[in-house]
Amino acid sequence: MKIAALILSHKNPKQINILLDRLNCKDIDCYLHIDKSADFAGEIIKRDNVFVLPDSKRVKCEWAQISLVDATLNMLDYAKSNGGYDYYWLMSGQDWPIKSTEQIVDFLSNSENKNYIYYLTSKNHGNDGPNNLDKRNHIFYPLWIIGRKPWQRVMKRTWVEISGGYNRTWALFRRKENYEFYFGSQWWYLNRKTIEWMMKYLSNHPEYHKFFKNCSTPDESFFHTLVMMSPYAAEGTDVLTYLHYHNGPANSPDVITKDVLDEAKASKYLLMRKVDMDVDDSFVSYKF
C-alpha cells in the first residue's frame, strides 16, 4: 500500500513540519503545495518522502476560486509523475491525524479500494429543486467578485439576486450545462483507478475545467462531480475527518482546542481539522 498525502498549506511552517513528522511512514509520501503568497519552502524539512512542489507548480490560492482546484491538480500531477499511488489523500496543513500512520495505512489497505468523498445533491436539501449549492454553478461568476472583501461580498450577492436569487436562476442567466453537479467537503481519499480516470478525462475534456473556472467555490464540486461521472461513482461517500462546530455545520469548523481532544480521539475518524498552534497547541503533545 502506497499513499500520497497531498497537503495544501499557506501558513506556519513549524506546524507543517510537525505534521510531516507525524505522517512519516514508509508507506506514505507527502506532497506539499505552499501557497504562492507564502514564502517558507526553505524551512520545510528535507526527507526522501517529502516533496515540496516547485515554484512553477505553485499557485496563489484565492478563497472560493478555481486556484484551490489548480493547486490540487498540480499535486496530483506531481505525485503521478513519481509512479502513482494506491490512494491519494487530500488534506490541509491544518489537519492532524487522530490515528497512527500504521492504523491509517491498515484502514486503507482493508478498504477494498473504496473512495472516501462525501457529496450532496439538490435531492438532499428538500424538494428536489435548485438550492444555494446549485447556484454556485448555475451562473457565470466573474473572478473579480469572488472573494472575502466586503465589496466583493456585496457585488456577488447583488449578482446572485439579479440572476434570480439563491434558489432559482432566470433562463437568461442560466449557463449551458452538461453535468449533474455534486457538492461536498473539499477533503477526500481517492483510489488509483479513480484518479487515473479523472486525470485522463480532464486531459481529453479541457472544457470541464473551463466551466468550473467561473463557478463559486469549485473546490467543493469539481472533484465530486468528476467522481460521480466516473465508473467508480458508487465506491464511497464516507467522511473520515472529525470536525467541531460551535455554531452548527453551516459555519466554518472551529479551531480544535484542548477541551474536545478526548472526543476527537474517541471518534471513528482518521484525522481532525482544523488545528492551529497559534491558537491552541494542545494537539501536539496529546497522546492519540
Side-chain angles (χ1 to χ4, degrees), residues 28 46 49 53 63 67 71 76 97 120 124 129 135 140 155 159 183 188 195 231 239 253 256 273 277 285-286:
I28 300 176
K46 308 294 191 297
N49 62 349
L53 266 64
W63 179 79
S67 50
L76 282 170
L120 299 168
N124 296 96
K135 194 69 178 191
F140 181 97
M155 292 299 297
W159 182 232
F183 306 85
W188 40 253
I195 292 296
V239 177
I256 298 294
R273 76 177 317 268
M277 290 181 64
S285 56
Y286 184 85

Side-chain angles (χ1 to χ4, degrees), residues 4-251:
L6 313 174
I7 307 172
L8 288 168
S9 62
H10 68 282
K11 60 179 286 186
N12 205 332
K14 180 180 179 180
Q15 181 172 315
I16 297 297
N17 284 333
I18 294 173
L19 173 63
L20 291 172
D21 279 338
R22 172 82 170 162
L23 293 173
N24 191 18
C25 168
K26 65 181 180 60
D27 298 310
I28 300 176
D29 287 345
C30 297
Y31 290 84
L32 187 66
H33 177 275
I34 301 174
D35 195 291
K36 193 77 168 180
S37 63
D39 188 24
F40 55 79
E43 300 177 52
I44 298 302
I45 58 176
K46 308 294 191 297
R47 199 164 56 225
D48 288 344
N49 62 349
V50 174
F51 302 89
V52 178
L53 266 64
D55 286 348
S56 61
K57 293 287 187 179
R58 293 168 58 201
V59 299
K60 183 179 180 181
C61 293
E62 301 284 357
W63 179 79
Q65 291 193 17
I66 193 68
S67 50
L68 284 166
V69 171
D70 292 339
T72 303
L73 290 173
N74 286 349
M75 285 192 291
L76 282 170
D77 187 61
Y78 201 45
K80 284 182 83 281
S81 71
N82 278 350
Y85 294 84
D86 299 298
Y87 267 98
Y88 295 81
W89 171 13
L90 180 62
M91 62 187 300
S92 163
Q94 290 189 267
D95 288 347
W96 189 255
I98 296 174
K99 309 299 183 185
S100 68
T101 53
E102 292 78 10
Q103 289 172 306
I104 293 171
V105 171
D106 183 65
F107 176 86
L108 293 176
S109 296
N110 291 289
S111 290
E112 299 180 345
N113 289 320
K114 181 179 180 180
N115 286 318
Y116 295 91
I117 180 167
Y118 181 70
Y119 61 83
L120 299 168
T121 69
S122 297
K123 295 178 182 178
N124 296 96
H125 289 269
N127 61 2
D128 292 355
N131 57 39
N132 62 344
L133 292 178
D134 297 299
K135 194 69 178 191
R136 295 178 178 183
N137 297 347
H138 280 177
I139 63 175
F140 181 97
Y141 291 87
L143 292 180
W144 59 271
I145 71 171
I146 302 178
R148 288 180 165 174
K149 296 176 181 177
W151 67 267
Q152 289 176 307
R153 293 178 182 272
V154 171
M155 292 299 297
K156 181 181 176 183
R157 180 58 185 262
T158 301
W159 182 232
V160 167
E161 293 300 333
I162 289 173
S163 62
Y166 277 109
N167 295 312
R168 64 182 173 186
T169 299
W170 306 123
L172 177 65
F173 293 89
R174 183 73 176 258
R175 302 175 76 185
K176 183 179 180 180
E177 304 162 4
N178 298 310
Y179 317 108
E180 181 178 353
F181 298 115
Y182 295 83
F183 306 85
S185 169
Q186 178 183 359
W187 316 107
W188 40 253
Y189 306 67
L190 296 176
N191 64 46
R192 176 196 294 265
K193 289 183 178 180
T194 304
I195 292 296
E196 289 177 347
W197 183 92
M198 287 169 48
M199 299 302 277
K200 183 177 181 179
Y201 181 89
L202 292 172
S203 177
N204 292 333
H205 299 275
E207 70 278 4
Y208 183 87
H209 181 278
K210 183 178 180 181
F211 180 91
F212 275 92
K213 182 177 180 179
N214 292 98
C215 293
S216 175
T217 324
D219 52 297
E220 295 183 359
S221 182
F222 184 96
F223 295 102
H224 310 74
T225 302
L226 266 181
V227 169
M228 296 306 291
M229 289 168 54
S230 79
Y232 313 103
E235 296 191 6
T237 60
D238 291 352
V239 177
L240 300 181
T241 302
Y242 171 88
L243 303 170
H244 186 268
Y245 296 96
H246 179 70
N247 293 315
N251 301 277

Side-chain angles (χ1 to χ4, degrees), residues 249-269:
N251 301 277
S252 296
D254 301 332
V255 171
I256 298 294
T257 53
K258 182 179 181 179
D259 57 305
V260 298
L261 290 177
D262 288 344
E263 179 181 312
K265 181 179 180 178
S267 73
K268 64 178 182 180
Y269 303 107

